Amino acid sequence: MAKIQFLQLPVPPPSYFAATGNVPLAAASLASCLESKEDPILGISPTVIPPEDTDSLGDLDLIDRICKEGPDFLGLSLYLWNTERSLYIAKEVKKRNPDIQILIGGPEVNEDNPYVLGETGFDIAVSGEAEHSFRSLMKGLLNKESLENFENVAHRKSDGTLSPFGVSVPANFPLTDFPSPYTTGHLQVNPKRSTYLETVRGCKSQCTYCFYPKSSQSLRTLDIKETIHLISNLKEKGAKELVFLDPTFNHRPGFESFLDAIAEVNADGQMTMFAELRSEGVTPKLATKLRKAGFNRIELGLQSVNEETLKRVKRYGSPHKVAEVAKMLAGEGIDLLLDLIIGLPGDTPDDVERGIHFFLEHGLGEWVQAFPLSVLPGTSMRKDAKKEGLIFMPTPPYRILETPTFSPEALRDSVYFAEDLLERRLDEFPRPFLCEWNPKVSDRFDWYPDNSTEKRKVASFQSMERGTRHQSIWFHPETLSKNLTQILNSMGEKIEKEPFCTIDFVIELGEVPKTKDIQSIETFLDSKRKSYLSRTLAYRGENLQHRLVFVIPREMEPLRNWRNSLDGSESFLVYETIPAESIQSLDPEESHFYLVEGERITPKDWTHLKDTMDPETINFVSRKWEERWSIEVLGYGEI
């Protein structure tokens, strides 16, 4: 019996205790389609690496896990956020076991994505919706057939080059052709996680920046009866939050009756729900029905306040209609996500400013999420990028760098300006992991100079080549200048061993560091920006993957004066350690970062921190308190 293993890696979260949101629906759907009751593919056993492992394992442990289980085939679902790490793991697995055939698919796999197709760690690439073509492909592989004529498939030839893709055939199979992975057991319902599901594929909209029009333009739905049966099944399995991945939730035929049916099965309000809507066609009656069905969050895309831009990118619609529907939904007690894209063709910085003011004038500012455009593979916008004068990153996140109306500085400043108006940060904050060492988890390693007597912690550092997905490396130098070379060498060795793990490099200071020493570390880490995670906030001068943190002791005036002299534009963070007993003395007017030591934090202390301090400025040495803060205050939990 041949074995195929599926791997779908998560979105790397900004914080150690933040949920990844990883529900491997695509990977599990492919596993399930091979076991269709009506026509199972005999001779193959599919499994999906569970999210508990993909969320926690570092690069080396994940590679070890795959190689130890030794599948005949490894399938990788590639998305914007996981492509580089997935392809790295594929290469490393292939080095250890060349006989494993590695297949890639997902929205990143397209003829117009030279970055992915230029990589060498895979054998077969599949484009588009894959269930139907994937079944045919696996039958062919099991029967050792030639892959020359397979639709939507490119394969590695004997000379190592990649063949062209076979004929591109849009997906048109009914969604009922293949079972839900929740019913086959390839995907488990976890009440602590959101439960993702699809009831519609395809999209009637033709937005040029979106992948869906190429994926499938024909709208295919699960009918109401089948969908309600699935939702009832998920509810019985303990689902608490349903996230509908339907491209435009309210485009499905019979939408009002659909909401009535959901409301009936969710009459006890046991489940909450999330979906993305187009504002067109949403009435007060539908808004009420959404609330009764259990929808507590809805996403609406304004994208731009410039109606000529909306026509240019084939989004169309009216900003005033978006605001009208947003207020309708808010009136029903539904939380919102309101999208504004920065850098669309035809837009200018003035349009971004007008867009933010538009939301504020309508009392909707608290729900705005504004972000730079990404020119995604498989989109019409990428096809026309040269004609439109769009310059963008060739690798994930494919972020726009410049347009005829936006300089690089204007793109960055538009984000900052929006943040000033909205009085909050729009990008994720790279929150470092600063908790104490735990011998049971390989997530913190401590480095001491050779003459240190800290033998226990030195031992923990010796095994630092492998750790968890997010880990911290603490350096305790005699002085930064004296130990700088050793520190840089250790950083380099760690990054080489696990290049796609999130690592907080923490340096404990006993004296004011020299500017040139800090610059040496910054330059070194900047040279290692080779992943989506490290580049996604590069325009802010931040590195979400390799974070540099300095920790200073309390009551050491030279170090506090140095900290106070910084202007906030640095690429590193400085935390002052304070005992829990000093919490009440913290002044919210001082915009500093604090690392709280100790386990004895009283309810009064907690309230003071929560109600008066910027939540991102507070970290805890205690794992218990850091996790509670991340979930209760920062909202980094799954639901």
Side-chain angles (χ1 to χ4, degrees):
M1 175 75 73
K3 296 187 296 183
I4 181 168
Q5 193 168 62
F6 293 94
L7 175 65
Q8 183 172 328
L9 293 174
V11 180
S15 164
Y16 182 94
F17 288 108
T20 66
N22 191 31
V23 178
L25 181 62
S29 295
L30 291 176
S32 294
C33 83
L34 299 178
E35 294 188 335
S36 172
K37 291 181 180 179
E38 290 73 22
D39 184 22
I41 296 180
L42 301 178
I44 191 160
S45 173
T47 58
V48 179
I49 298 178
E52 291 75 20
D53 285 347
T54 59
D55 286 3
S56 62
L57 295 180
D59 296 342
L60 285 173
D61 283 342
L62 195 50
I63 293 164
D64 284 351
R65 185 196 193 284
I66 294 168
C67 292
K68 182 179 180 180
E69 296 188 3
D72 300 282
F73 304 95
L74 176 65
L76 305 171
S77 296
L78 302 189
Y79 293 89
L80 177 85
W81 52 83
N82 70 18
T83 290
E84 289 158 309
R85 189 180 184 212
S86 297
L87 292 174
Y88 169 76
I89 288 170
K91 284 181 182 178
E92 295 302 305
V93 168
K94 199 76 173 171
K95 285 179 186 176
R96 296 196 201 179
N97 191 340
D99 293 332
I100 296 177
Q101 291 199 66
I102 297 177
L103 301 87
I104 62 172
E108 292 289 289
V109 182
N110 272 285
E111 291 177 327
D112 66 351
N113 194 356
Y115 160 64
V116 168
L117 300 185
E119 291 292 304
T120 58
F122 62 90
D123 301 294
I124 298 167
V126 184
S127 66
E129 284 186 50
E131 284 95 335
H132 188 270
S133 56
F134 186 69
R135 282 173 55 84
S136 299
L137 172 62
M138 292 312 301
K139 287 179 181 178
L141 289 172
L142 291 173
N143 294 329
K144 302 189 182 305
E145 298 174 15
S146 168
L147 301 181
E148 291 297 329
N149 298 315
F150 277 85
E151 300 170 350
N152 302 329
V153 170
H155 66 279
R156 189 76 57 193
K157 296 187 291 187
S158 58
D159 63 359
T161 62
L162 194 68
S163 76
F165 279 91
V167 176
S168 177
V169 178
N172 60 7
F173 56 85
L175 299 192
T176 51
D177 276 5
F178 305 110
S180 165
Y182 293 107
T183 61
T184 62
H186 286 295
L187 190 56
Q188 303 297 318
V189 171
N190 184 341
K192 295 182 179 180
R193 291 179 182 264
S194 303
T195 300
Y196 292 6
L197 70 159
E198 290 179 303
T199 70
V200 176
R201 287 196 191 175
C203 187
K204 294 191 296 184
S205 300
Q206 297 295 311
C207 308
T208 63
Y209 50 81
C210 183
F211 176 74
Y212 281 119
K214 179 175 180 179
S215 175
S216 178
Q217 295 182 20
S218 61
L219 214 60
R220 290 164 292 134
T221 66
L222 281 178
D223 65 28
I224 292 177
K225 181 180 178 181
E226 291 161 340
T227 302
I228 295 305
H229 178 74
L230 174 59
I231 292 174
S232 298
N233 181 278
L234 297 175
K235 183 180 180 182
E236 290 172 5
K237 294 179 183 294
K240 297 298 183 184
E241 181 186 64
L242 300 185
V243 174
F244 289 85
L245 299 180
D246 307 356
T248 306
F249 190 57
N250 56 324
H251 275 184
R252 69 142 52 227
F255 183 59
E256 187 173 333
S257 299
F258 181 52
L259 292 179
D260 290 338
I262 297 176
E264 185 175 347
V265 76
N266 193 35
D268 57 4
Q270 179 177 314
M271 296 181 291
T272 60
M273 304 183 194
F274 169 82
E276 182 177 354
L277 304 182
R278 287 292 298 254
S279 58
E280 296 81 8
V282 177
T283 61
K285 182 179 179 181
L286 280 178
T288 300
K289 286 181 179 288
L290 282 161
R291 189 253 306 160
K292 288 182 177 179
F295 286 86
N296 68 331
R297 285 192 305 141
I298 292 291
E299 184 169 0
L300 293 172
L302 172 68
Q303 318 308 7
S304 173
V305 75
N306 186 332
E307 294 195 33
E308 290 305 311
T309 294
L310 295 177
K311 292 176 185 176
R312 186 167 174 172
V313 300
K314 298 185 179 180
R315 173 71 184 184
Y316 305 107
S318 161
H320 290 283
K321 180 62 177 177
V322 172
E324 176 190 339
V325 170
K327 286 187 275 192
M328 263 183 224
L329 296 169
E332 293 289 342
I334 297 173
D335 289 335
L336 303 170
L337 292 176
L338 303 173
D339 300 336
L340 192 70
I341 301 177
I342 299 172
L344 286 171
D347 260 359
T348 67
D350 286 345
D351 292 314
V352 177
E353 180 179 348
R354 289 195 303 118
I356 299 296
H357 279 299
F358 175 82
F359 279 126
L360 290 171
E361 288 163 5
H362 285 278
L364 300 169
E366 65 180 293
W367 289 304
V368 175
Q369 51 179 13
F371 46 87
L373 170 71
S374 286
V375 184
L376 301 173
T379 62
S380 296
M381 186 168 288
R382 175 170 284 217
K383 180 181 177 182
D384 295 334
K386 188 173 182 180
K387 182 176 70 175
E388 292 279 13
L390 306 182
I391 300 173
F392 59 94
M393 293 180 181
T395 54
Y398 311 113
R399 179 156 287 161
I400 193 73
L401 298 174
E402 190 172 353
T403 80
T405 52
F406 276 95
S407 67
E409 294 76 21
L411 286 165
R412 179 200 62 210
D413 291 346
S414 289
V415 174
Y416 291 158
F417 184 81
E419 290 180 340
D420 287 342
L421 288 176
L422 296 170
E423 298 182 337
R424 58 185 165 85
R425 181 181 168 109
L426 292 169
D427 287 315
E428 295 177 315
F429 179 76
R431 183 178 182 82
F433 173 62
L434 303 177
C435 293
E436 78 273 19
W437 181 64
N438 182 339
K440 296 180 180 179
V441 190
S442 298
D443 56 14
R444 169 168 168 162
F445 306 94
D446 288 79
W447 179 94
Y448 286 84
D450 293 338
N451 60 355
S452 170
T453 58
E454 294 279 352
K455 299 296 185 184
R456 176 179 63 82
K457 292 184 177 179
V458 168
S460 84
F461 187 79
Q462 297 304 325
S463 60
M464 80 158 193
E465 73 169 21
R466 62 178 61 236
T468 55
R469 177 189 51 78
H470 188 165
Q471 52 193 277
S472 63
I473 313 293
W474 282 67
F475 294 95
H476 308 272
E478 294 178 63
T479 69
L480 184 56
S481 292
K482 182 175 182 179
N483 299 124
L484 180 61
T485 299
Q486 294 168 286
I487 288 172
L488 290 174
N489 288 340
S490 295
M491 287 179 173
E493 290 170 8
K494 179 58 191 176
I495 292 172
E496 182 179 355
K497 291 290 185 181
E498 298 201 295
F500 292 96
C501 288
T502 299
I503 307 174
D504 297 310
F505 292 110
V506 187
I507 300 177
E508 197 170 56
L509 295 176
E511 65 178 32
V512 175
K514 295 178 180 177
T515 301
K516 67 180 181 64
D517 292 338
I518 296 177
Q519 289 174 342
S520 294
I521 299 174
E522 290 178 307
T523 300
F524 173 79
L525 293 179
D526 198 54
S527 72
K528 302 298 180 181
R529 284 186 187 268
K530 297 179 180 178
S531 74
Y532 153 83
L533 195 60
S534 70
R535 289 189 295 266
T536 189
L537 294 184
Y539 75 99
R540 302 184 76 116
E542 297 175 0
N543 189 332
L544 267 172
Q545 181 161 25
H546 299 137
R547 296 96 175 265
L548 177 60
V549 182
F550 293 102
V551 173
I552 64 175
R554 190 168 177 80
E555 307 301 343
M556 188 172 283
E557 286 307 309
L559 278 168
R560 296 182 81 182
N561 292 337
W562 166 73
R563 186 267 319 268
N564 295 344
S565 71
L566 302 174
D567 64 11
S569 64
E570 297 80 15
S571 67
F572 56 86
L573 297 172
V574 180
Y575 280 81
E576 180 178 358
T577 56
I578 65 164
E581 297 77 30
S582 299
I583 286 175
Q584 294 295 324
S585 66
L586 292 180
D587 183 354
E589 297 301 317
E590 294 184 356
S591 55
H592 301 312
F593 290 86
Y594 299 99
L595 178 58
V596 181
E597 298 178 310
E599 291 281 351
R600 302 188 66 178
I601 297 175
T602 67
K604 184 179 179 182
D605 292 335
W606 183 262
T607 300
H608 178 74
L609 290 175
K610 181 168 66 73
D611 292 348
T612 66
M613 303 298 292
D614 177 348
E616 285 292 7
T617 66
I618 303 299
N619 278 61
F620 298 85
V621 171
S622 163
R623 290 171 183 255
K624 177 186 74 174
W625 291 111
E626 175 65 14
E627 182 174 16
R628 182 180 169 187
W629 186 263
S630 296
I631 294 172
E632 292 184 16
V633 180
L634 295 173
Y636 280 155
E638 191 73 42
I639 295 178

